[in-house]
Amino acid sequence: MTNAALISLSACEAARRIAKGELTSVELTTACLDQIAAKDADIGAFQFLDREHALAQARDRDAQMRTGRGIGRLHGVPVAVKDIIDTEDMPTEHGCRIFAGRQPKRDAACVASLKEAGAVILGKTVTTELATLEPPRTRNPYNPEHTPGGSSSGSAAAIAAGMAPLALGSQTIGSVVRPAAFCGVVGYKPSFGLIPRTGVLEQSRSLDTLGVLTRTVDDAALAVEIMQAHDTGDDATRATARPPLLATAQQHWPLPPMFAFVKTHAWSMADPVTHEAFGELVEQLGSQVMEISIDHTTEAGVEAARIVNRVELAVTFGPLLDKTPDLLSKTVAGMIEDGRRISATQYFAALNARAKFHETIEEIVTNHGAILTPSALGVAPKGHGSTGNPIFCAFWTYLGLPAINLPLLDVDGMPMGVQLVGGYRDDGRLLRTANALTRQVEALGACASGTCGQDHHH
């Protein structure tokens, strides 16, 4: 296979070929490393990369194949890891000068699970400072004049630029879905507590969620299925059965799925092109969509999310500001100071409001299907002074609901994402709906370009 073909393989397809002996881990890892060497000077997706170490892992995986022993479900597949997630053999610096050169003693639980499944840990991707809103050096692969989004900036850019088939990210407000939308990739934030956060930088205990950035919905399903676990180190995780996310994602719907189009209060702030693109999408889906307005709910929810995030961030990062104020950006210092001004009464009210919001949303999802909503206000904003506004993501993260960005739209050559949100811990159904919607939109696109009868899978 050519390098171009290798770097466009999905993680599932790569794992399948390696398992069948049609491809080696060294071939795939080399192709990824060559792509990084060719592109990353301009994009800046990687924070840490040791080519030799990545290849040594790949050779190890290939040697294991030859022994004929059983192999894991991501055997030999390279994975890029956001630099707030601990890796015992690579530095983890949290995108912050305070942690420069920090070397963890052990892998985060999610990394350990990936290694157990046979993955090759390719390198560490750039995160915004302490996974907040301070823009990083990463550029958008579609157009370097634009932001890649944040805080999983490097992970989203790496997938978009063909540097890895799979990358880990995290979302506290909108840090998986938004960069995925801006970089034109799949970004899946599973239900809160599905993947243990042990060994991951804590910003906001009630909100932090690990997620993945991938090329396909199936890849996202497989990766999260491998990482989901009960972990005594993370009290958000539960000792429940682990649902077969990939098998569910691949099931075909007997009927076309139904959607609740929820514009939210942020719709009025969205770009006119977003209004236009979503107007067309909803029109094409016709009777599958019911528009539902819960603007006052989302507005109150986004404010509650901000309060919870700021207070918890101030508690976690406050000591850093007190000890080494000169090593933090003004952005982060401002967020900490903001959190310190919020009263305990406001904080507990914001936490306790979730139960009521949950009822509203569960009712919508039960009666109308997955929630369809924009992932961001528009395409990636021009300039590097901001990572874009996470307002379309905050409410769903605050409720701990599973959400996924699908790169289904584009405007003047820049990707625009469609966000689907599902019921709490109903991740399999959300992924299955995401696959169904992707197939449907691709079929419509093929008809629009006059290739309707032809096979249009890519």
Side-chain angles (χ1 to χ4, degrees):
M1 287 177 82
T2 62
N3 257 20
L6 285 171
I7 61 170
S8 60
L9 283 177
S10 71
C12 288
E13 180 60 16
R16 195 184 66 78
R17 291 189 183 202
I18 289 170
K20 287 176 75 172
E22 299 169 2
L23 173 66
T24 66
S25 179
V26 168
E27 285 169 335
L28 182 58
T29 305
T30 302
C32 291
L33 290 165
D34 289 351
Q35 182 71 352
I36 295 167
K39 298 266 189 222
D40 206 39
D42 298 329
I43 293 171
F46 279 85
Q47 180 64 30
F48 178 85
L49 190 74
D50 177 340
R51 189 181 173 103
E52 273 320 300
H53 180 57
L55 287 169
Q57 292 176 70
R59 282 193 292 271
D60 199 43
R61 298 295 184 233
D62 289 338
Q64 246 172 303
M65 276 289 298
R66 291 192 290 271
T67 64
R69 285 202 304 270
I71 60 163
R73 297 173 72 192
L74 275 175
H75 192 87
V77 178
V79 179
V81 176
K82 183 176 181 176
D83 196 31
I84 62 163
I85 300 171
D86 283 355
T87 39
E88 64 178 9
D89 48 2
M90 301 176 194
T92 304
E93 301 179 327
H94 307 321
C96 179
R97 290 178 296 174
I98 294 170
F99 296 101
R102 175 179 171 271
Q103 179 55 62
K105 299 268 190 292
R106 58 171 61 97
D107 286 329
C110 56
V111 173
S113 298
L114 290 170
K115 284 185 175 175
E116 213 174 302
V120 168
I121 306 300
L122 192 60
K124 303 303 284 287
T125 55
V126 171
T127 172
T128 61
E129 180 184 17
L130 300 173
T132 61
L133 297 170
E134 174 67 12
R137 60 186 168 84
T138 310
R139 300 291 177 250
N140 192 310
Y142 275 83
N143 183 336
E145 300 294 301
H146 294 247
T147 178
S151 62
S152 308
S153 321
S155 290
I159 299 297
M163 298 174 184
L166 181 62
L168 298 190
S170 67
Q171 179 156 313
T172 302
I173 298 289
S175 295
V176 167
V177 169
R178 182 168 88 266
F182 289 169
C183 293
V185 300
V186 171
Y188 166 40
K189 180 207 81 71
S191 290
F192 179 74
L194 210 59
I195 305 173
R197 301 167 296 179
T198 313
V200 179
L201 173 72
E202 181 181 314
Q203 178 189 131
S204 183
R205 197 174 186 77
S206 309
L207 304 173
D208 294 341
T209 315
L210 282 161
V212 288
L213 296 111
T214 61
R215 299 210 170 98
T216 68
V217 173
D218 286 359
D219 289 358
L222 174 63
V224 172
E225 184 176 330
I226 286 167
M227 293 185 288
Q228 64 179 349
H230 173 56
D231 187 321
T232 49
D234 182 355
D235 54 13
T237 63
R238 290 195 202 159
T240 52
R242 291 157 65 164
L245 297 178
L246 180 59
T248 310
Q250 291 174 334
Q251 287 170 0
H252 272 266
W253 283 90
L255 297 165
M258 304 301 286
F259 300 97
F261 179 38
V262 177
K263 289 177 172 174
T264 86
H265 67 291
W267 183 254
S268 59
M269 298 163 58
D271 300 344
V273 291
T274 307
H275 290 179
E276 201 178 320
F278 273 81
E280 282 174 27
L281 177 65
V282 167
E283 200 177 314
Q284 284 177 331
L285 293 172
S287 60
Q288 286 170 255
V289 183
M290 172 91 155
E291 191 177 320
I292 291 175
S293 172
I294 48 165
D295 289 8
H296 55 285
T297 304
T298 57
E299 190 164 14
V302 168
E303 176 54 18
R306 189 191 70 83
I307 289 171
V308 172
N309 178 223
R310 288 294 199 269
V311 170
E312 294 185 345
L313 177 146
V315 171
T316 316
F317 299 151
L320 302 178
L321 180 63
D322 297 339
K323 262 207 306 262
T324 47
D326 48 328
L327 293 180
L328 286 178
S329 68
K330 283 193 175 66
T331 307
V332 173
M335 289 170 87
I336 294 168
E337 282 156 3
D338 188 24
R340 285 175 164 174
R341 283 191 291 269
I342 296 167
S343 73
T345 318
Q346 284 174 291
Y347 170 68
F348 284 109
L351 271 183
N352 295 338
R354 285 201 283 204
K356 202 159 134 332
F357 291 136
H358 253 293
E359 282 172 31
T360 307
I361 300 306
E362 286 296 332
E363 193 184 334
I364 291 173
V365 173
T366 306
N367 295 331
H368 304 286
I371 287 170
L372 173 79
T373 192
S375 296
L377 294 173
V379 299
K382 200 169 178 178
H384 302 113
S386 127
T387 57
N389 190 327
I391 194 161
F392 273 113
C393 306
F395 182 62
W396 318 115
T397 314
Y398 162 72
L399 292 183
L401 302 175
I404 189 165
N405 174 72
L406 301 173
L408 298 179
L409 309 172
D410 66 88
V411 177
D412 301 330
M414 290 298 282
M416 178 180 280
V418 173
Q419 181 174 205
L420 292 184
V421 182
Y424 181 61
R425 294 242 168 197
D426 201 1
D427 292 58
R429 188 197 306 235
L430 175 70
L431 294 162
R432 185 175 65 176
T433 305
N435 262 333
L437 180 63
T438 302
R439 281 193 296 269
Q440 198 174 343
V441 171
E442 282 177 356
L444 290 167
C447 294
S449 62
T451 54
C452 215
Q454 300 164 22
D455 185 15
H456 51 263
H457 290 292
H458 45 231

